[in-house]
Amino acid sequence: MQRIRVLVVDDHRIFAESLAAALAAEQDVDVAAAGSAPAALRNLDRAVTDGRRFDVLLADADLAAPLLAVPAQGAAREPVVPRSCPRDGIALVSGLRTSHPYLRTVVVADRDDPRRAAAALQAGASGWVAKDCSLSRLLAVIRGVLRDETHLPPALLTGVLRELTAARKHRSESERLVESLTPREREVLRCMVAGLGRKAVAERLFLSPHTVRTHMQNVLGKLGVHSTLAAVALARRAGVGPVELEAATAVP
């Protein structure tokens, strides 16, 4: 019998363990549970090392990002989260598309949300199911995604298609606007996407701050936006990535 290895990722321990126990009752399912994104990544990596990699990952849509450090007593108790850490289940799915491309992922959510479901599919998920769906439905989704099927609740289908169509339209428009930039302006835009300020861009491109300011103004004008944040958002929709930032080297 071909067994299916499933990893459940949810920061609500009771739900994760209950779901894992229900799935484990199936004769052809092996299941494990993880309570956070880092724990899930450790499970996945260990399984690959042991030659028993997982087939399907069920990720909580609202998976909480773990704390990097606990604030000292009396300090502001604002969570400190590493920038590279997935902020929710959808972000986890997006990262796994590159690190574990063989893995089929399904997002499990408290409520149906067409916008987030569309974002999950764009991130690489093969399905979206509600947490209160029946076990038989969940098993059908798990087995379906292993056949390269995409699974959505019927009630979400129209809304998700509308979101995906709108996203495609925005991307094509964004790409057209980016193509109107000169090569130098695109280079400046990539620096903006990387979060570099005017002075840092000037130093990187060997330009004067005044020239960089002119280029940035031209970029905003051609993209039809009024702020750097809006320009960066549009650039990302168009698939423009940041410049690579080299690690600083000590000067003797």
Side-chain angles (χ1 to χ4, degrees), residues 164-184:
L164 292 176
T165 299
R168 196 176 305 116
K169 179 180 179 181
H170 289 156
R171 180 179 178 87
S172 60
E173 175 64 13
S174 299
E175 289 173 343
R176 185 187 67 78
L177 291 171
V178 168
E179 287 173 359
S180 71
L181 303 178
T182 66
R184 177 62 85 185

Side-chain angles (χ1 to χ4, degrees), residues 125-198:
S126 297
W128 174 286
V129 296
K131 284 190 174 182
D132 60 358
C133 76
S134 66
L135 181 61
S136 60
R137 166 64 181 163
L138 182 58
L139 287 166
V141 171
I142 290 172
R143 295 189 170 103
V145 298
L146 286 174
R147 296 191 296 267
D148 290 328
E149 298 172 359
T150 299
H151 283 258
L152 288 170
L156 270 184
L157 193 55
T158 299
V160 168
L161 288 176
R162 186 183 301 117
E163 292 291 334
L164 292 176
T165 299
R168 196 176 305 116
K169 179 180 179 181
H170 289 156
R171 180 179 178 87
S172 60
E173 175 64 13
S174 299
E175 289 173 343
R176 185 187 67 78
L177 291 171
V178 168
E179 287 173 359
S180 71
L181 303 178
T182 66
R184 177 62 85 185
E185 289 166 351
R186 291 183 201 178
E187 199 170 10
V188 169
L189 179 60
R190 291 186 64 212
C191 290
M192 294 163 66
V193 173
L196 299 181
R198 189 188 308 167

